[in-house]
Amino acid sequence: MVEKEDLLKDGKRRDGRGLTDLRPLRINAGVLKKANGSALVEWGKNKVLAGVYGPREVFPKHMTDPYRAIIAARYIMAPFSGIEEHGRSGPNRRSTEISKVVKNVFQNAILTDQFPGTMIEIQMEVLQSDGGTRVAAITAAAVALADAGIPMRDIPVGLSAGKVNGEILIDLDKYEDNLGQSDMPTVILPRTGEILLSQLDGMLTREEISKAFDLILEHSKIVSEKQEAALIERYRKVSEEIGEGEANDSG
Ligand code: CDP
C-alpha cells in the first residue's frame, strides 16, 4: 500500500524524480497501417494509442456542417489498462467527459474551415494507465492528426501539474494524482502558450495555479520536441520507402 507520506521524501518522488522532472516519454508516429494517422505515446507507465480517420463523409449525415469539418473524439480505457479500485472499464461517465474535452481541444486547434462538410475522427485507446492518461491521449492524438496531414494552428501538448504534500510538481503519476491534493491537466499550444484546456481536481491558490502553469509552459517544450521528432522520423521512413519503391520500379 502506498501512503501519502511516501510520495515525497527529501525532494524526491517515489520513482526518483525531482519535483520538476517529467517521466520518460517516447512517441512514435504512423504505427497503424489502416488509419490515416496514428501515434503511440509511452509516458512513464502510460501507453496510449491514437488513430485518426478523415476528413471523411459525415455519419450521421444530419450532423454535417457546410462551413467546417466536425470533430468526433473517443477516449477509452482497455479492460487490461490497470483498473483497480476504480471499477469497470468501457464507456462510462469519465470516458465520456474526457472524449468531450478532447473534441473541444481539437475543434480549437484544427483548421476545420478547410474541410467543410466532412468529419475528422480521433480515437484514443489507453492500453496501460498510470495517471495523466488524458494529457497523454491528447499528446498522442495531436501527433496522429499531424501524421494524417490535418492542418492545425500548432501541435497541442497535454501536460499536467499538481500539488502533492504542499509542493507543486509536474507530470503526476497515478499515486500522486490519487493521494495528492490537486491535479491540473492542461493542454497548450507550445508556440504561443495559448491554453486550450485546463481542468482542476482539488484546490490550488492563485499563486499555486500560476506556478503550475509556469511549470507546464516550460516543460511543454520538451514534449513538443518529442512530438516533432516522432513526425520527422515518420517522414524519414516514408521517404525511404518511396525511394525504395522508385528504385524497384526503375530496376
Ligand atoms: O488518467 P488521468 O489522470 O487523466 O485521469 P484520472 O481520472 O485523474 O485518473 C487517474 C488515474 O487513475 C488514471 O491514469 C488511471 O491510472 C487510474 N484510473 C483507473 O485505473 N481506472 C479508471 N476507471 C479511472 C482511473
Side-chain angles (χ1 to χ4, degrees), residues 189-203:
L189 297 181
R191 223 166 11 197
T192 56
E194 186 183 332
I195 295 163
L196 295 187
L197 170 75
S198 195
Q199 300 188 279
L200 183 60
D201 187 11
M203 302 255 271

Side-chain angles (χ1 to χ4, degrees), residues 50-68:
V52 164
Y53 302 85
R56 63 169 177 76
E57 202 178 337
V58 181
F59 186 80
K61 261 203 157 55
H62 72 266
M63 305 278 289
T64 307
D65 183 332
Y67 299 107
R68 57 190 67 80

Side-chain angles (χ1 to χ4, degrees), residues 81-223:
S81 66
I83 286 90
E84 291 158 23
E85 64 281 14
H86 292 278
R88 70 184 178 89
S89 72
N92 51 32
R93 202 172 63 162
R94 178 177 169 277
S95 67
T96 305
E97 176 239 332
I98 297 177
S99 302
K100 183 173 187 301
V101 299
V102 175
K103 176 184 157 128
N104 290 348
V105 161
F106 288 106
Q107 246 163 2
N108 288 314
I110 297 172
L111 304 179
T112 52
D113 54 354
Q114 291 195 7
F115 307 101
T118 70
M119 163 172 186
I120 296 167
E121 205 182 318
I122 305 165
Q123 303 274 352
M124 294 145 290
E125 298 266 345
V126 178
L127 306 176
Q128 192 168 282
S129 75
D130 190 38
T133 60
R134 78 190 64 200
V135 290
I138 289 169
T139 298
V143 175
L145 282 159
D147 179 41
I150 292 170
M152 290 178 278
R153 292 196 288 133
D154 191 4
I155 299 178
V157 165
L159 188 52
S160 100
K163 184 174 168 185
V164 172
N165 298 356
E167 301 280 357
I168 301 294
L169 37 76
I170 193 90
D171 189 20
L172 278 63
D173 70 18
K174 177 183 151 72
Y175 287 111
E176 292 169 341
D177 180 330
N178 292 169
L179 302 173
Q181 289 138 299
S182 187
D183 176 35
M184 194 175 84
T186 298
V187 180
I188 65 166
L189 297 181
R191 223 166 11 197
T192 56
E194 186 183 332
I195 295 163
L196 295 187
L197 170 75
S198 195
Q199 300 188 279
L200 183 60
D201 187 11
M203 302 255 271
L204 290 177
T205 64
R206 194 181 281 251
E207 288 72 32
E208 286 167 341
I209 289 179
S210 167
K211 194 168 170 190
F213 273 133
D214 286 346
L215 272 185
I216 288 169
L217 192 59
E218 183 190 336
H219 290 79
S220 66
K221 309 275 185 265
I222 301 172
V223 180

Side-chain angles (χ1 to χ4, degrees), residues 8 12 15 27 38 40 43 47 53 65 79 81 87 96 119 139 151-152 157 193 231 233:
L8 270 183
K12 290 264 177 244
D15 56 7
I27 307 180
S38 58
L40 175 66
W43 194 336
K47 280 192 215 288
Y53 302 85
D65 183 332
S81 66
T96 305
M119 163 172 186
T139 298
M152 290 178 278
V157 165
L231 288 161
E233 176 60 14

